[in-house]
């Protein structure tokens, strides 16, 4: 009653105040309006909001409306209306403007995020300062921190008055410690233990070891995610009627401890009794049933039903029914705890592509883009072909981003346009000169000129010069990915290489090799390519008094070859099966390559040998940004007939590109070392690798040039005379970093040998900079 009387008194006082202003003068006709007190706000702005105009009659009601209208703008903290003859005087006192807005102590929430939140509320630099709005902002900021589990947060705004009616706003935040979860109680679970269900949660009670754990740090969003995981777990194990009845979150009086109680009702576990297909299926029902992973008598699983639903939608989309609606309808039988599933198929209309629009390719010719597309104009749309078209454009490496949309044509229900928007790389060419380093080659001086998309034609060329203590390489290559209309690629290459094997911790000799080659790639199918090529090399082996016997014996056995100088005529062939979603840091798919190279004896100064290799690498997306990569390689080499096998063609292992943690090219087994204990290589190599790959925690979506990985490597080289020995494999584990930079790729690794043997050369930290 007292409170009601207080409100009534305030209301009467306000009315009397307004009446007093209005009663200060008798009603009159306004001839002029003068506005006083403005500093930043223009007179025109005041006139826009003032509901009084010249030649209008002004009375008490009009002045009251005018005062309310001006106060409502939020621009003014004081308004007085007066009269001077037939002139209406409007005296205004502006609210101050916000000159600067700063934060202090906000460690858990970024300044940019806080600024955006305040801007959305209308409180930002340059805006009119409003104390009530600031109070609202402070309240919202406290709620943000409490959602992160910081219930002890204190937010204190400070206002500093400046000249010219401005203020500085400083928001001081004392975050305090995060409230920790003392107890997580789950009530009502019978089928699964507390331990089993708590393992699903990201949140939980304080673990025994809390050094790097945030499990006990409460956050509202985390709890919501945990509840959804709990619900999904039960639904995926047949508990169709599962329900979370309530969730209580209570906090201790000191605001340091949190207790969470989840009350749930499991219901009964259901199995699938029957599966039906209804609606306009287009395909035979038998074909659709094959796409459904769940079967009769299986425990019901919402995840498997959703997966089956997606497979049917994808199949319908590949046939042109891009907007097909697949609705799995469950029929529950409570008496037997069984469920019938009826997949109702509504294909809708078959949709055709009216036009394919390509935009954003300022440098790349339209033809280069369109020849990669698998979706054609005037044909029915295939979601599978649209997806593959996007992948092929991304694999070119010409574009930073490829986005695809299929808007419906206005007024037509069965037509869409395929819009492809490209964001080209800033440049597809580069000139670089620099210094690099690799553990296998030492300091490297390099110069390169390359163009991946020459004049927008999709053709590429490269000129490279690399010099190091181990290798001096000059190379030129020209590639046309579409030398024919059928997509046959052609590569022409010229090269010169001088190699010093002693610098590679190998046998003491040097080689000078120059050669030329041509190669072709013939697409057999969408994912399979047959490659073949021809190379001619001339090699001169230079020996010394300390050269190993394996090299001198090779030169001696090739008596017909003058001064250990010879030609090699190579014929190569390979078959590649490549389903990777991209070339740079792929996240899905695999690549399998089966290759063979044969050096044919054309004359008395040519060698005759062969090399074969099979390589497989797979990528499995484990999460949105985490990929598991596995690789296996088996390589074998030998000579034709009695022809000697050149030692410099032998395989080597160890180093950043094979078995990390061991020195580059240092690994070997019996028969692969010379008398000085240096590796000369083997004619049989086995390598295996598994890596868990993820981007750095701070990387953005657009910054896709760096990856971190945890790896497990295995491998070695063998002499085929002694054969493959599984017990001689070397293993290592560690962490690695790959970074694509303007100066070239950077690779860093820290590997720890698992089964180091006497004589093995260990090199835990290894890296290459600017070396391909």
């Amino acid at each position: 009653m007292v409170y009601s009387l207080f409100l009534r008194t305030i209301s009467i006082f306000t009315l009397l105040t307004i009446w007093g202003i209005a009663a200060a003068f008798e009603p009159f006709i306004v001839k002029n309006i003068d506005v006083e007190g403005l500093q930043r706000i223009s007179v025109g702005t005041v006139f826009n909001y003032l509901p009084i105009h010249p030649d209008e009659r002004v009375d008490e009601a009009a002045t009251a409306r005018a005062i309310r209208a001006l106060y409502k703008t939020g621009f003014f903290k004081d308004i007085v209306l007066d009269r001077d003859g037939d002139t209406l005087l409007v005296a205004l006192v502006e609210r101050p403007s916000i000159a600067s807005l700063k934060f202090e102590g906000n460690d858990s929430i970024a300044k940019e995020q806080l600024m955006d939140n305040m801007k959305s509320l209308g409180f930002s630099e340059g805006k009119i300062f409003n104390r009530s709005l600031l109070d609202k902002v402070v309240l919202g900021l406290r709620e943000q921190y409490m959602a992160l589990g910081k219930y002890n947060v204190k937010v204190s705004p400070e206002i500093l008055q400046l000249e010219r009616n401005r203020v500085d706003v400083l928001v001081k935040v004392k975050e305090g410690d995060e409230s920790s979860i003392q107890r997580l109680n789950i009530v009502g679970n019978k089928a699964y233990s507390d331990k089993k269900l708590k393992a699903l949660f990201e949140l939980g009670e304080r673990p025994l070891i809390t050094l790097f754990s945030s499990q006990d740090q409460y956050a509202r969003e985390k709890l919501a995610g945990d509840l959804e995981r709990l619900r999904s777990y039960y639904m995926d194990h047949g508990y169709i009627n599962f329900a979370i009845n309530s969730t209580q979150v209570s906090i201790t009086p000191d605001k340091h401890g949190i207790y969470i109680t989840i009350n749930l009702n499991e219901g009964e576990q259901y199995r699938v009794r029957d599966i039906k297909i209804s609606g306009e299926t287009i395909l035979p029902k038998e074909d659709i049933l094959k796409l459904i992973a769940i079967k009769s008598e299986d425990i019901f699983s919402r995840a498997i039903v959703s997966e089956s639903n997606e497979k049917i939608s994808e199949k319908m989309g590949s046939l042109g029914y891009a907007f097909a609606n697949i609705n799995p309808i469950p029929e529950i039988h409570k008496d037997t705890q069984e469920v019938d599933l009826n997949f109702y198929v509504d294909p809708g209309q078959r949709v055709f592509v009216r036009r394919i629009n390509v935009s954003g390719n300022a440098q790349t010719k339209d033809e280069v883009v369109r020849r990669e597309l698998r979706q054609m104009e005037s044909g029915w749309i295939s979601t599978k072909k649209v997806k593959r078209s996007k992948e092929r454009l991304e694999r070119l490496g010409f574009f930073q981003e490829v986005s695809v949309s299929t808007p419906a044509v206005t007024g037509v229900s069965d037509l869409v346009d395929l819009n492809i928007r490209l964001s080209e790389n800033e440049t597809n060419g580069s000139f670089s000169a620099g210094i690099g380093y690799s553990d296998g080659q030492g300091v490297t001086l390099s110069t390169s000129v390359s163009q991946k998309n020459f004049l927008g034609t999709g053709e590429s060329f490269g000129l490279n010069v690399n010099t190091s203590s181990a290798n001096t390489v000059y190379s030129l290559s020209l590639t046309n990915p579409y030398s024919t209309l059928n997509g046959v690629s052609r590569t022409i290459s010229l090269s010169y290489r001088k190699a010093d094997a002693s610098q590679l911790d190998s046998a003491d000799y040097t080689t000078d090799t120059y050669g030329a080659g041509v190669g072709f790639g013939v697409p057999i199918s969408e994912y399979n390519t047959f490659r073949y090529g021809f190379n001619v090399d001339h090699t001169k082996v230079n020996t010394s008094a300390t050269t190993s016997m394996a090299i001198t014996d090779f030169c001696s056995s090739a008596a017909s070859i003058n001064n250990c100088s010879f030609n090699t005529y190579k014929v190569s062939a390979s078959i590649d099966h490549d389903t990777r979603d991209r070339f740079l840091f792929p996240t899905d798919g695999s690549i399998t390559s089966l290759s063979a190279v044969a050096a044919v004896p054309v004359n008395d100064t040519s060698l005759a040998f062969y090399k074969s290799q099979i390589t497989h690498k797979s990528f499995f997306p484990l999460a949105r940004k985490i990929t598991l990569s596995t690789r296996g390689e088996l390589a074998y080499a030998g000579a034709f007939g009695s022809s000697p096998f050149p030692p410099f063609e032998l395989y080597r292992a160890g180093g950043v590109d094979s078995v990390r943690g061991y020195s580059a090219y240092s690994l070997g087994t019996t028969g692969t070392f010379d008398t000085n204990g240096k590796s000369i290589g083997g004619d049989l190599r086995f390598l295996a690798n598994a890596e868990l790959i993820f981007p750095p925690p701070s990387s953005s979506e657009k910054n896709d040039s760096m990856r971190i990985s945890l790896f497990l490597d295995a491998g070695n080289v063998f002499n085929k005379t002694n054969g493959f020995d599984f017990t001689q494999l070397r293993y290592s584990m560690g962490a690695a970093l790959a970074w694509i930079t303007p100066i070239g790729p950077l690779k860093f690794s820290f590997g720890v040998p698992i089964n180091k043997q006497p004589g093995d050369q260990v090199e835990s930290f290894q890296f290459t900079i600017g070396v391909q």
Side-chain angles (χ1 to χ4, degrees), residues 170-199:
L170 174 62
V171 181
K172 290 185 176 181
V173 180
K174 188 175 181 181
E175 296 184 344
D177 296 330
E178 293 183 352
S179 304
S180 62
I181 299 173
Q182 302 297 319
R183 183 69 58 84
L184 173 62
N185 297 315
I186 301 177
V187 180
N189 53 307
K190 299 176 182 177
Y192 302 105
S193 65
D194 286 359
K195 182 178 180 181
K196 179 73 173 179
L197 297 181
K198 288 180 180 180

Side-chain angles (χ1 to χ4, degrees), residues 84 150 213 265 305 366 430 447 451 481 488 569 600 644 772:
D84 184 9
K150 293 180 178 291
S213 174
N265 181 14
V305 171
D366 203 59
S430 66
T447 302
Q451 175 61 257
V488 176
Y569 302 91
V600 296
Q772 284 282 16

Side-chain angles (χ1 to χ4, degrees), residues 99-162:
S100 69
L101 176 60
K102 298 180 181 179
F103 298 91
E104 184 180 290
N106 54 306
D107 297 328
S108 299
I109 304 177
K111 173 187 173 183
E112 292 75 15
Q113 183 180 348
L114 294 177
M115 286 289 194
D116 290 342
N117 291 342
M118 287 194 167
K119 191 173 182 179
S120 65
L121 293 173
F123 194 91
S124 61
E125 293 179 359
K127 295 286 188 179
I128 300 299
F129 175 75
N130 187 320
R131 184 73 203 201
S132 62
L133 185 57
L134 177 60
D135 293 339
K136 184 178 179 181
V137 166
V138 169
L139 180 60
L141 188 55
R142 288 197 185 101
E143 290 179 351
Q144 277 186 273
Y145 275 100
M146 286 191 289
L148 296 176
K150 293 180 178 291
Y151 286 92
N152 290 300
V153 65
K154 294 182 179 179
V155 182
S156 305
E158 293 184 359
I159 312 302
L160 177 63
Q161 295 288 340
L162 303 176

Side-chain angles (χ1 to χ4, degrees), residues 393-394 397-403 422-428 582 701-702 704:
L393 290 173
E394 290 175 333
F398 303 161
F399 310 109
Q400 288 182 344
E401 184 179 359
V402 179
S403 60
L422 306 171
S423 176
E424 291 185 313
N425 294 328
E426 294 183 2
T427 175
N428 286 307
R582 54 197 292 193
E701 293 289 341
K702 293 185 177 180
D704 202 26

